[in-house]
Amino acid sequence: MSATIYDLAKEAGVSISTVSKALNDSYSISEKTKKRIREIADSMGYQPNARARSFARKKNGIVIFAANLSRGIGFENPHLFEIVTGLDRYLDERGYSLVLKHVTREDAPVQIKELMNSEEADGIILHAGILSRQLAFVLGKEAYPHLVIGKPDFPNTLSWIDVSHEAAGQIAADYLLDKGYRRIVFLMGDSNDDQISLRRLDGIKIAFEEEELSIETITGICDYEKSREITETILERKRIPEVILCTNNYLALGCIQSIRAKNLSIPKDIALMTFDNYPFSMLAQPTLTAIEVDMYEMGNQAARFIVQRIKKPNLQTQSFCTTPILIEREST
Amino acid sequence: MSATIYDLAKEAGVSISTVSKALNDSYSISEKTKKRIREIADSMGYQPNARARSFARKKNGIVIFAANLSRGIGFENPHLFEIVTGLDRYLDERGYSLVLKHVTREDAPVQIKELMNSEEADGIILHAGILSRQLAFVLGKEAYPHLVIGKPDFPNTLSWIDVSHEAAGQIAADYLLDKGYRRIVFLMGDSNDDQISLRRLDGIKIAFEEEELSIETITGICDYEKSREITETILERKRIPEVILCTNNYLALGCIQSIRAKNLSIPKDIALMTFDNYPFSMLAQPTLTAIEVDMYEMGNQAARFIVQRIKKPNLQTQSFCTTPILIEREST
DNA sequence: TTGTATGCGTTATCAG
DNA sequence: CTGATAACGCATACAA
């Protein structure tokens, strides 16, 4: 059992309130007393009891990260954990703890409401994947510190932070146009599900329209296999495009396979570029030019916001964060 | 502000202790009263205050996962997060919360000791990466519920859980020998750092010795590039091996590149097998036969242990957990 | 079966 | 500058 302030008080010959104030660096305690009490605390290996402290302070220094943490997610979406790492590091440094909570989209409204009412945490960060209008309503009603990671796809009054996929798209397009490429095909997933790609496409279009050009977009390409197939048909055209731009590494891999099968060379016969640097654009043959996003940094930013909100619950943050970076490699 | 048991008591016309007992399903409260109070609680949207509850119960239902969470870890080591996911899901279901804590090996002894003394959590799970003799000493002194994920590489009295890398090695070797392969090369990292591979090698050797065969091991192959280089030299031998067995996907990729460069065919001219199914053994060309480990399941197991320990702090668990699975694909 | 009273370890208020 | 004491919301031993 660890020492309490009662033990310290007895040892120091003062009252517990003096001890408490001394340890919390209150202005009303003399430096001399503070120093003495701190020394005693050290020598007795005193650690304030976190539970009692939380109770008395009405704060526990906990921030929840709520997301759908399904089996395999670590492999499927390491970005998520890069965010978590960024969150955790910032919070740790400031004495906060990050709690992970698995929440599904369906259960979120009820569960999140319970979390807020029980005051289990001082604030909550939510992954946009579990967001619904209903949840937005729950969050909007209370003045509970929150932040959504990912831009909600409906009107709301929530605080959120996101990667600027539009900027990423624009950077990619600008780069390709600068290199002199004109006939470009963009491969992405279902136009209903793949919101991220749509936003990238918005950015791409902006860049193209500036040059009075347009981009060919093929949707419904949601995996490696589909990408191989579509690339095959693309390569059978009389006039093949100059570049294929893929919305992720897996699609790019499909392209590589098909291009190689045709004995074409990248980037001589056709260039290739991808969004995301993960998981193997640096390992592919040839290595792929890619647009990378710093998710760790975004986690950091998010943590910064939530801590701010915990301290000043009334200010609303509706923000936008981005650092897409272009990594030029062999494939363009 | 959420309702308290005082509000419920007033509403129900009973005392707060009756409310408390009713909500905690105490045997000494009549079913009728329980039901009535629960209904009132529901209707008033009562949620017990987590901080007050933790304080009174001297438990807060928090389990800490302490590991070195450095930037990029989500990509470098998604296994880690698969464990975290497994931990979280089990704990969530039982009303516990998982807290992530970034701890370095150097700071671990002090930090972990503080965590224990402050009673910030009811138990702690540690990644073996931050384990040191000093930390083991700290953990050993107190009867604090703990579990190490990963086998400590020194004698100790800790509780731990790990993948049986030996079994994985043996399964891999048995499979290859069964297929009739004899001349096998095992590629792994530095023999000082790469403890996991050494343990796999132990298992491999057991299988080989049963057949009175031996395996060629090449150490110091710690990345893709090294793997390409060494494979090149291997393929220049007069008599090339029948199989190359790699300790991870990246090394396997290096092999593929070199083999392809020589215009050899997998598995006709030379077979290839790898440990780990991640991140691209299913996508490589050809797809790779692999030994996979279920980290999610291990996380689950670990969580089960720690909950057990929290409830009965005196029992010591020194365990060993494994489900390496063979996934046969095109490369063998 | 229910109620009273006390404690949990700390912070905060107010008096000295 | 320091100390006595209330308060935090809940759980629980003990009394009724």
Side-chain angles (χ1 to χ4, degrees):
Chain A
M1 206 55 182
S2 200
T4 69
I5 50 172
Y6 289 91
D7 301 326
L8 300 191
K10 194 179 290 173
E11 183 70 21
V14 297
S15 74
I16 59 160
S17 41
T18 302
V19 172
S20 173
K21 287 175 196 162
L23 294 176
N24 287 294
D25 203 24
S26 159
Y27 65 94
S28 77
I29 300 292
S30 70
E31 277 308 322
K32 212 180 101 193
T33 313
K34 280 184 192 170
K35 187 164 172 252
R36 195 162 57 90
I37 291 182
R38 283 192 197 120
E39 282 169 2
I40 292 176
D42 277 354
S43 76
M44 296 180 73
Y46 169 79
Q47 281 294 325
N49 182 295
R51 290 190 281 263
R53 170 172 278 184
S54 301
F55 183 46
R57 284 187 175 164
K58 299 177 195 306
K59 290 185 188 172
N60 57 14
I62 288 179
V63 172
I64 289 178
F65 178 68
N68 194 321
L69 301 174
S70 46
R71 185 186 188 122
I73 192 82
F75 298 119
E76 286 161 29
N77 192 1
H79 293 287
L80 189 65
F81 285 103
E82 201 56 21
I83 295 173
V84 168
T85 308
L87 285 173
D88 183 73
R89 293 297 294 275
Y90 185 94
L91 293 174
D92 262 1
E93 273 169 25
R94 277 147 191 87
Y96 287 85
S97 292
L98 182 68
V99 166
L100 255 41
K101 279 264 177 267
H102 167 70
V103 178
T104 64
R105 196 190 174 98
E106 296 78 50
D107 300 341
V110 171
Q111 274 196 264
I112 303 292
K113 190 175 183 179
E114 281 180 11
L115 286 176
M116 295 193 311
N117 280 339
S118 72
E119 300 181 52
E120 200 177 311
D122 297 343
I124 188 163
I125 293 178
L126 308 110
H127 191 248
I130 61 166
L131 195 64
S132 59
R133 282 188 164 77
Q134 232 185 325
L135 178 54
F137 178 71
V138 170
L139 286 168
K141 261 201 320 196
E142 324 259 344
Y144 193 89
H146 73 266
L147 185 69
V148 178
I149 294 198
K151 183 177 169 183
D153 53 3
F154 52 85
N156 64 85
T157 58
L158 301 174
S159 300
W160 55 265
I161 183 172
D162 198 3
V163 175
S164 174
H165 296 293
E166 293 83 357
Q170 205 169 342
I171 291 170
D174 280 340
Y175 166 75
L176 291 174
L177 293 171
D178 267 9
K179 294 276 280 191
Y181 295 115
R182 287 296 174 270
R183 293 198 320 286
I184 302 175
V185 175
F186 178 49
L187 261 42
M188 58 172 280
D190 276 343
S191 53
N192 299 318
D193 305 337
D194 196 358
Q195 297 298 327
I196 290 177
S197 295
L198 284 178
R199 292 173 53 196
R200 286 172 179 159
L201 184 56
D202 285 342
I204 294 172
K205 281 180 178 164
I206 290 172
F208 271 70
E209 277 160 15
E210 270 177 17
E211 308 277 333
E212 301 193 347
L213 294 167
S214 69
I215 185 159
E216 176 187 353
T217 304
I218 303 180
T219 62
I221 313 302
C222 45
D223 61 20
Y224 165 73
E225 273 308 329
K226 281 261 172 57
S227 172
R228 281 185 63 173
E229 290 166 17
I230 196 72
T231 305
E232 249 178 66
T233 72
I234 290 174
L235 296 179
E236 276 162 15
R237 294 179 186 175
K238 280 181 293 246
R239 200 168 174 232
I240 67 169
E242 292 165 338
V243 189
I244 300 180
L245 174 59
C246 297
T247 207
N248 69 47
N249 278 212
Y250 296 95
L251 301 193
L253 190 64
C255 295
I256 293 179
Q257 305 292 359
S258 288
I259 294 169
R260 184 176 288 140
K262 276 270 185 194
N263 277 319
L264 295 177
S265 139
I266 305 172
K268 221 176 54 189
D269 301 317
I270 184 167
L272 192 58
M273 177 167 179
T274 180
F275 288 93
D276 289 355
N277 192 35
Y278 172 84
F280 43 66
S281 62
M282 71 297 277
L283 295 174
Q285 283 264 287
T287 56
L288 302 176
T289 294
I291 298 276
E292 180 178 35
V293 173
D294 191 339
M295 301 309 254
Y296 179 92
E297 180 59 26
M298 202 172 79
N300 253 270
Q301 299 267 359
R304 204 161 59 82
F305 279 138
I306 202 73
V307 168
Q308 216 172 74
R309 289 286 305 266
I310 288 170
K311 290 183 179 157
K312 305 196 177 182
N314 36 342
L315 51 85
Q316 181 178 329
T317 331
Q318 179 120 326
S319 175
F320 207 67
C321 157
T322 169
T323 25
I325 298 164
L326 175 75
I327 307 173
E328 187 169 18
R329 295 210 183 87
E330 300 164 354
S331 70
T332 54
Chain B
M1 209 49 183
S2 198
T4 70
I5 50 173
Y6 289 91
D7 301 325
L8 301 191
K10 194 178 290 174
E11 184 70 20
V14 297
S15 76
I16 60 160
S17 51
T18 301
V19 172
S20 174
K21 286 174 197 164
L23 294 176
N24 287 294
D25 203 25
S26 161
Y27 66 96
S28 76
I29 301 292
S30 71
E31 277 308 321
K32 211 180 103 192
T33 312
K34 280 184 192 169
K35 185 162 175 253
R36 195 162 58 86
I37 292 181
R38 282 190 198 123
E39 282 168 4
I40 293 176
D42 277 355
S43 75
M44 296 180 73
Y46 170 79
Q47 280 296 324
N49 182 296
R51 291 189 282 261
R53 170 174 276 185
S54 301
F55 183 45
R57 285 188 174 163
K58 299 179 194 308
K59 290 183 187 174
N60 55 14
I62 288 180
V63 172
I64 290 177
F65 178 68
N68 194 321
L69 300 174
S70 46
R71 185 186 188 121
I73 192 81
F75 298 118
E76 286 162 29
N77 192 1
H79 293 286
L80 189 65
F81 285 103
E82 202 55 21
I83 296 173
V84 168
T85 308
L87 285 172
D88 182 73
R89 293 298 292 278
Y90 185 95
L91 293 175
D92 263 1
E93 274 168 24
R94 277 150 193 84
Y96 287 84
S97 292
L98 182 67
V99 167
L100 256 41
K101 278 264 177 269
H102 166 70
V103 177
T104 64
R105 195 191 174 96
E106 296 77 49
D107 300 341
V110 171
Q111 275 197 260
I112 302 292
K113 189 174 183 178
E114 282 180 10
L115 286 176
M116 296 192 311
N117 281 339
S118 71
E119 300 180 52
E120 202 176 309
D122 297 343
I124 186 164
I125 294 177
L126 309 110
H127 190 249
I130 62 166
L131 194 65
S132 59
R133 283 190 163 74
Q134 230 182 325
L135 178 55
F137 178 70
V138 171
L139 288 167
K141 262 202 316 196
E142 323 260 343
Y144 193 87
H146 72 267
L147 185 69
V148 179
I149 294 198
K151 183 177 167 183
D153 54 3
F154 52 84
N156 63 85
T157 59
L158 302 174
S159 299
W160 54 265
I161 185 173
D162 199 4
V163 174
S164 175
H165 296 292
E166 293 82 357
Q170 205 169 343
I171 291 170
D174 280 339
Y175 166 76
L176 291 174
L177 293 171
D178 268 9
K179 294 277 280 188
Y181 295 116
R182 287 296 174 270
R183 294 197 319 287
I184 303 176
V185 175
F186 178 50
L187 261 41
M188 57 173 280
D190 275 345
S191 52
N192 299 318
D193 306 338
D194 196 357
Q195 298 297 328
I196 290 178
S197 295
L198 283 177
R199 291 173 53 198
R200 287 171 179 160
L201 185 56
D202 285 342
I204 294 170
K205 281 181 178 164
I206 290 172
F208 271 69
E209 277 161 15
E210 269 176 17
E211 307 277 333
E212 301 196 345
L213 293 167
S214 69
I215 185 160
E216 177 186 352
T217 304
I218 303 180
T219 62
I221 313 303
C222 44
D223 61 22
Y224 165 73
E225 272 307 329
K226 281 261 170 60
S227 172
R228 282 185 62 172
E229 290 167 16
I230 196 72
T231 305
E232 250 178 68
T233 72
I234 289 173
L235 296 179
E236 278 163 14
R237 295 179 185 176
K238 279 181 293 242
R239 201 171 172 229
I240 68 170
E242 292 164 340
V243 190
I244 299 180
L245 174 59
C246 297
T247 206
N248 68 47
N249 278 212
Y250 295 96
L251 301 194
L253 189 64
C255 295
I256 293 180
Q257 305 292 1
S258 288
I259 294 169
R260 184 176 285 141
K262 275 270 184 191
N263 279 319
L264 295 177
S265 142
I266 304 171
K268 221 175 53 187
D269 300 317
I270 183 167
L272 192 57
M273 178 167 179
T274 181
F275 288 93
D276 290 356
N277 191 35
Y278 172 86
F280 43 67
S281 62
M282 72 297 278
L283 295 175
Q285 282 264 293
T287 57
L288 301 176
T289 294
I291 297 277
E292 182 180 33
V293 173
D294 191 339
M295 300 310 254
Y296 179 92
E297 179 57 27
M298 201 172 82
N300 254 270
Q301 299 267 359
R304 205 162 57 83
F305 280 139
I306 202 75
V307 168
Q308 215 172 76
R309 290 287 305 266
I310 288 171
K311 289 182 180 158
K312 305 195 176 185
N314 36 340
L315 52 86
Q316 182 178 328
T317 330
Q318 179 120 327
S319 174
F320 207 69
C321 157
T322 169
T323 24
I325 297 164
L326 175 74
I327 305 173
E328 187 169 17
R329 295 209 184 86
E330 299 164 354
S331 70
T332 54

